[in-house]
Structures are given as C-alpha cells and as structure tokens.
Amino acid sequence: VDRAGLPRPLGWVDGLTEHDGAWLLWGWALPARGSAFDSIRVRRKSGESLAERAVRPELAEAAPWVRRASGGGFFAAVRPDADAGRIEVVCRRRERAVAAFATTYLPAERDPGPLPPEGLSRRVSGLSGEAFRLSGLQAFTDMWDAATRHGPGGARLRVLDWGCGCGRLARRLTRLDDVDLIGCDIDAEAVEWCAAHIDGRFTRTDPNPPLPYRDGEMDVVVASSVLTHLARLDQHAWLREIARVLAPAGLLIASAAGETAFLRSVPRPARLGPPGSILHRAAAERRRRALRRAGIVDEQPDDWLDGIAPPGYYRHVYQSREHTEREWGAAGLDVVDYVERGYHGHQDLVVLTKRA
Ligand SMILES: C[S@@+](CC[C@H](N)C(=O)[O-])C[C@H]1O[C@@H](n2cnc3c(N)ncnc32)[C@H](O)[C@@H]1O
C-alpha cells in the first residue's frame, strides 16, 4: 500500500539513472488480474507526468492471465526534484488512480558511493551491480516510507541497521539528514567493507544476543531480510533483544517472508499449466493453507553463510501473517502495521513499536 492507500501492483522499476539533467526511469506494472492499466503516471514532489508505454512481450509470457500484459512496460524522463527524490509510479484505469508503488532517487551529490564487491553483494542478496543498486533503492524506499508513516519523534534519530550485510540500506540511510547510523552484522568481512566505505558506526556482532548497545539507545531498528533467515526460537530471542535496545515508542521495521515469498520459493511444476490456470490457483491455495496451518516453516537450511554463521543457524524461514502478528507482538513489541508484499513486492513489511 502506498502513502495514498492504493494497493501495490505487480511491478518494478528496472532502471533509474540521471542523464542530461533529467531522471530516466523504466520498468513495468500490471494489475493482479484483469487488463493492463490504461495509463501510468510518474509523480514526484515537483509534479506529475505521463509515462510512455513500452511494449514488452516477456510480460505476456510472465503474466498470461492479465489481458494485454505486454503493454505493461513504461518509460519516463522527468525533471529532478532539488532534494532527495521520492518517485511514485501511479497506475490508472478510466482516469482513476487504482494502484501505486514508489522508489527514491538520490540526486548526484548524495549518490551513495561505491558498490560492494560482487562476492559480498551476492552473499547477502544474490544480486550484483545495477540490480543490487536498484534493489537497494526499493528496499530503502519501503523501509523509510514506513519510518516516515509511523514517525518516531526526535530531532536526530539513532538508526540501527541490524544485519546490515554490505550496506544495501546503510549506504542510503547514512545520507539522510538527522540520522546517526549504526550497523552490525555477524559477517566480519561485510562489516569491514561498510566501515571502510559508509559513514556510520559498524560492529561485528554475535549470532546470539546481547548486542553491544545500551538499553533504549536506538530510535529505529531496521531488519531487512534478517529474521527471514532465523528459526522461531532465534527470532524470539532477537526480538526481545531489539526491544531492549529500542527507546520507548521506538520503531522496529522488519521484513518477513510471508505467503507470497512462500509461494515463490518453489518452482512451478509445468504440469499445472500457466499461472492463473485453475490447477495452478488450486495448488497455490493449498500451499497458502499449509503455511497458515504450520504458522512458521523454519527447517530449510540456507548455505549462503556457511563458514560465517554457526552450522544450522542460517535458514530459509517462511511464516504466516497471523503467526508473525501473534509471536512478534509477544516480545515487548506491538505490531502497528503489516503490509503484505510491502517489502520489494516480495516479502511482507512489519512495523512494530516498543510497548510502553
Ligand atoms: C539476506 S542478508 C540481508 C543483508 C542486508 N540487511 C540487506 O538487506 O542487504 C541477511 C544478513 O543478516 C545477517 N545476520 C544473520 N543473523 C544475524 C544476527 N543474529 N545478527 C546480525 N546479523 C545477522 C547476515 O550475516 C546477512 O548479512
């Protein structure tokens, strides 16, 4: 859901760059069902403009259940905002805005420095280069929009990027006015890279609590794709620890791998036909129900941190919304917002405040 309360379409910004004094962006947006949108507009602080449509035949293959899906591509060249730019992609049908998503673009003078080496960026995200940069823009926008919506008070915010990896978020968080950035991770090499390239206080921490911070030291903790790798009991221990380091009414903004991530975690068997077919939808519904029944599925090892995390520690963890709201809200934190697919359009975004 974007700030105006519109649902998020399927879609993404595939490219975003500055050229000859303009911001160029391109991507795609489709509804979950029905026909492709009538038009797409790009909105930023200083104005709104119509995006050009781009025909992308691969969209018809990827979403055969959406009519005229190949027309879901867009391209826009817009005049930049003077300061850090939030860019909304607004999808319209019969002259009405019906869906939207957003990203941000930091003008050149705020551009967040060098990208990490490929080995590091792949370890934390499976991505490198331009794809890593763009996924960071999206992650940063989703997290920071949530922080703005739930507005922790205070002139300067102490923000902890817990599980910062090689700084996909940190490199942008540090550019915000009025943020003191602290980052930590169990991955010593990633932490060293952040400390050498990003303004902030970075520390290697242990896989189990405590953190080397005082009670109530942080106004905001962000956890981007971290709890999505920890088994249920480790999640509990860490949520209690995060509650300890949060100031009263402080915010935890965390991603959870919910139903969408669970559905996408297995390849689609060809025998079910294309997505949208009756067989395909029935299989998806069965999988959804299985996740709701289990609450959490946390047995599957993730070997990407072999040699860094203790054996068996790092996993692929999926959990139902109901489970997350119940269990994360039992650790001295209250869930104040839950946006399905609100993080990267793939994971769910959960906002919690420290209970008074
Ligand atoms: C999928 S990566 C995400 C990294 C970063 N947040 C991002 O979005 O690019 C998960 C990160 O969590 C870190 N991690 C796992 N368990 C942790 C823990 N208990 N404390 C701190 N970091 C942890 C891993 O080392 C890894 O860098």
Side-chain angles (χ1 to χ4, degrees):
V1 177
D2 91 330
R3 273 198 233 179
L6 294 172
R8 187 177 184 140
L10 306 173
W12 194 253
V13 171
D14 287 320
L16 181 51
T17 184
E18 208 162 353
H19 183 70
D20 266 354
W23 288 343
L24 308 181
L25 76 154
W26 58 99
W28 61 280
L30 288 175
R33 59 186 71 83
S35 311
F37 298 115
D38 294 345
S39 64
I40 293 176
R41 300 183 76 88
V42 174
R43 188 193 289 164
R44 68 239 178 270
K45 207 155 64 181
S46 54
E48 190 176 302
S49 45
L50 189 64
E52 304 272 341
R53 305 308 292 264
V55 175
R56 294 180 50 168
E58 78 275 17
L59 294 177
E61 262 172 64
W65 66 95
V66 176
R67 282 193 299 282
R68 297 186 284 114
S70 60
F74 66 83
F75 172 84
V78 297
R79 204 159 41 81
D81 287 330
D83 55 1
R86 187 173 186 284
I87 307 172
E88 276 175 10
V89 175
V90 183
C91 311
R92 296 165 70 91
R93 184 167 279 141
R94 288 192 213 93
E95 302 302 314
R96 277 188 45 233
V98 291
F101 67 105
T103 189
T104 36
Y105 191 63
L106 304 175
E109 73 274 16
R110 289 189 175 209
D111 206 40
L115 287 169
E118 182 165 348
L120 274 182
S121 70
R122 286 208 175 273
R123 188 149 86 212
V124 298
S125 62
L127 304 169
S128 64
E130 185 63 5
F132 179 81
R133 185 180 75 87
L134 287 167
S135 79
L137 279 176
Q138 191 66 63
F140 168 78
T141 311
D142 292 338
M143 284 275 172
W144 208 247
D145 272 7
T148 314
R149 271 201 310 277
H150 293 280
R156 277 199 87 73
L157 294 177
R158 294 151 305 175
V159 176
L160 171 64
D161 185 353
W162 176 64
C164 60
C166 51
R168 186 160 51 148
L169 285 174
R171 59 209 296 274
R172 296 200 162 73
L173 289 168
T174 194
R175 303 289 165 140
L176 291 169
D177 297 333
D178 307 327
V179 162
D180 288 326
L181 179 69
I182 298 109
C184 70
D185 201 289
I186 59 173
D187 184 337
E189 192 189 348
V191 167
E192 271 166 34
W193 191 87
C194 289
H197 296 93
I198 300 172
D199 281 340
R201 182 154 59 94
F202 293 92
T203 312
R204 197 204 74 87
T205 46
D206 290 330
N208 296 303
L211 289 168
Y213 310 118
R214 293 186 308 277
D215 292 3
E217 191 175 334
M218 308 295 167
D219 299 300
V220 179
V221 175
V222 298
S224 157
S225 294
V226 184
L227 293 162
T228 53
H229 293 280
L230 302 191
R232 177 167 174 254
L233 293 180
D234 289 324
Q235 287 191 356
H236 280 210
W238 275 112
L239 287 164
R240 278 194 301 275
E241 177 62 0
I242 288 169
R244 180 188 71 75
V245 302
L246 273 176
L251 282 186
L252 165 62
I253 308 171
S255 67
E259 275 180 17
T260 300
F262 188 58
L263 289 180
R264 291 182 187 170
S265 67
V266 287
R268 179 175 6 109
R271 68 184 155 75
L272 297 181
S277 71
I278 290 178
L279 286 179
H280 185 267
R281 273 184 286 156
E285 189 48 37
R286 273 198 302 279
R287 221 170 138 64
R288 250 186 224 111
R289 269 193 257 127
L291 182 64
R292 285 183 206 153
R293 259 197 317 275
I296 186 164
V297 174
D298 64 355
E299 305 277 287
Q300 194 190 334
D302 179 336
D303 57 12
W304 284 33
L305 284 196
D306 280 4
I308 295 169
Y313 180 85
Y314 203 63
R315 302 169 182 208
H316 294 286
V317 177
Y318 304 94
Q319 49 201 94
S320 70
R321 174 176 182 160
E322 200 249 326
H323 173 96
T324 303
E325 290 185 327
R326 188 183 62 239
E327 301 228 348
W328 289 13
L333 300 161
D334 288 318
V335 177
V336 292
D337 201 355
Y338 190 108
V339 188
E340 285 175 25
R341 292 198 297 121
Y343 193 57
H344 265 199
H346 176 64
Q347 295 182 358
D348 295 349
L349 185 78
V350 193
V351 184
L352 304 101
T353 52
K354 178 164 170 164
R355 196 166 298 145

